[in-house]
Amino acid sequence: VENQSISDVSYITTETIPKLVVGSNLTFTPSTSNWTNSNVSVAVSTTVKGYTLQTSTDGKTWGTTNPLIYSANGTAYARLWDGNNASAVATTNITNIDKTAPSFNASISNVSSSGYDVIITRVSDTQSGINRIQCPTWTDSNGQDDLDGSWSTSDKSKATKQSDGSYKFRVNITDHKNENGKYITHVY
């Protein structure tokens, strides 16, 4: 075997692609940062010019989709691409999607001619938690004419947390035009 030498060696110099830094030259902007049971869109932007901003929802499949849409919690990925090489990957976590409804038990107690109590027990929500329980109530008489118009946020329709972790909501007939008949209370 004869020694062979390599006489034609060429060196390729590649440009260093800038690193993306969240909060400096890269921004992930979610459609909401509050708890939601809806999809979250994440807009990705950079101040770095001369490269293609690529995004991914799994860190493996890259494209230029923007915004990214998440139906469940996950990670948003971004990188720069020069046509041949990619920069280091920057990420942000989406952690505010909760599509699982809370669970609870509800019962009626202390029924009298002046009203009744709604007792809500075994309240659980493992992801977003419980920040309040609302109990809109109306009578079957004359439709929902006695329903609190802002029941979803009103203190008038809000159940009170008890020391044992349960919630209680008092329905007084005086709050419902003293109407007789069937009363309907929903728990949210």
Side-chain angles (χ1 to χ4, degrees), residues 44-166:
V44 186
S45 61
T46 183
T47 57
V48 178
K49 304 293 183 207
Y51 300 91
T52 300
L53 176 63
Q54 291 188 321
T55 58
S56 175
T57 56
D58 63 8
K60 298 173 188 171
T61 307
W62 294 91
T64 56
T65 302
N66 201 353
L68 299 168
I69 306 296
Y70 288 82
S71 60
N73 292 321
T75 303
Y77 301 84
R79 71 180 186 185
L80 295 175
W81 178 255
D82 70 2
N84 295 308
N85 302 296
S87 70
V89 175
T91 64
T92 194
N93 292 317
I94 311 308
T95 59
N96 59 323
I97 301 172
D98 181 1
K99 293 189 177 186
T100 303
S103 62
F104 60 89
N105 292 337
S107 62
I108 303 296
S109 68
N110 300 322
V111 178
S112 70
S113 60
S114 64
Y116 58 91
D117 291 337
V118 179
I119 307 298
I120 302 112
T121 60
R122 300 178 58 121
V123 177
S124 175
D125 188 328
T126 58
Q127 288 188 318
S128 58
I130 305 293
N131 71 356
R132 70 180 188 279
I133 294 180
Q134 297 296 112
C135 300
T137 302
W138 64 95
T139 64
D140 209 19
S141 177
N142 298 317
Q144 294 183 344
D145 69 322
D146 55 327
L147 175 64
D148 177 8
S150 59
W151 68 262
S152 64
T153 57
S154 169
D155 282 345
K156 185 176 176 183
S157 296
K158 184 177 181 180
T160 304
K161 189 170 186 175
Q162 307 298 297
S163 61
D164 64 359
S166 66

